[in-house]
Amino acid sequence: MGIWKRLFGSDEDGVDYYNEGVELLRAGKYHEALTSFRLAQRETPEDEAVLQQIAITYTRIGMTDEAIRTYRTVLSSHPQTASAHYGLAFLLLRQGQQAEAERHLETFLSTPPDSPEAQRHVEHARETLQELRGAEGIAPEQES
């Protein structure tokens, strides 16, 4: 792992901190992954992929406010980044910000990713949006 070699004095050049962070994130080593992603960000500060991985890592650690801020940073520079809209929508739902979450789900679904691995996220977004819209149509006296 590049970060460990660097910390312990290896003079290895060209460490791929992004891929290292992805590996650490998959292994559940969230704080180590965050360190790697931050090092990757130093090399490419505006890289939307790095910022999104940071947001995902913050989410896994439970740092929701930081995750939301990071997704918003991605969207300020890259407003059509579907995965940032998706991640932000579900964080906003956790905070009870339904209207804004719906807007982000709608944006995500307006240009959904078409990769096979993304299909479960697309379906999840569609189902969630449908549930939210259904809940809006229920009058308070009908909710019992």
Side-chain angles (χ1 to χ4, degrees):
M1 299 259 136
I3 189 169
W4 303 116
K5 290 178 183 177
R6 188 169 177 141
L7 286 173
F8 293 109
S10 172
D11 54 12
E12 176 184 350
D13 290 331
V15 175
D16 185 345
Y17 292 114
Y18 177 82
N19 284 322
E20 179 180 86
V22 170
E23 290 175 25
L24 290 164
L25 186 60
R26 285 185 185 141
K29 298 179 178 182
Y30 303 131
H31 293 282
E32 294 90 340
L34 188 56
T35 299
S36 292
F37 290 133
R38 285 180 176 154
L39 289 168
Q41 184 184 24
R42 285 176 54 186
E43 295 172 0
T44 55
E46 299 297 318
D47 187 325
E48 67 184 283
V50 173
L51 288 169
Q52 287 186 89
Q53 291 298 331
I54 290 171
I56 290 166
T57 306
Y58 279 145
T59 302
R60 301 253 173 95
I61 293 171
M63 299 173 71
T64 305
D65 291 338
E66 290 81 0
I68 289 171
R69 247 189 314 279
T70 305
Y71 279 128
R72 290 188 193 282
T73 298
V74 170
L75 293 171
S76 70
S77 300
H78 309 279
Q80 295 307 314
T81 304
S83 54
H85 284 286
Y86 179 87
L88 181 56
F90 286 99
L91 290 173
L92 292 170
L93 280 175
R94 284 187 201 169
Q95 293 188 339
Q97 298 179 43
Q98 183 174 327
E100 187 179 357
E102 283 185 44
R103 287 192 299 276
H104 286 286
L105 287 172
E106 290 166 354
T107 303
F108 170 76
L109 291 169
S110 70
T111 55
D114 59 2
S115 65
E117 59 272 3
Q119 288 311 302
R120 70 181 177 94
H121 298 294
V122 172
E123 282 306 310
H124 184 229
R126 282 187 184 128
E127 290 170 6
T128 302
L129 190 56
Q130 186 176 13
E131 288 173 14
L132 292 171
R133 288 179 174 161
E136 289 174 349
I138 298 174
E141 60 273 2
Q142 294 175 331
E143 288 183 348
S144 49

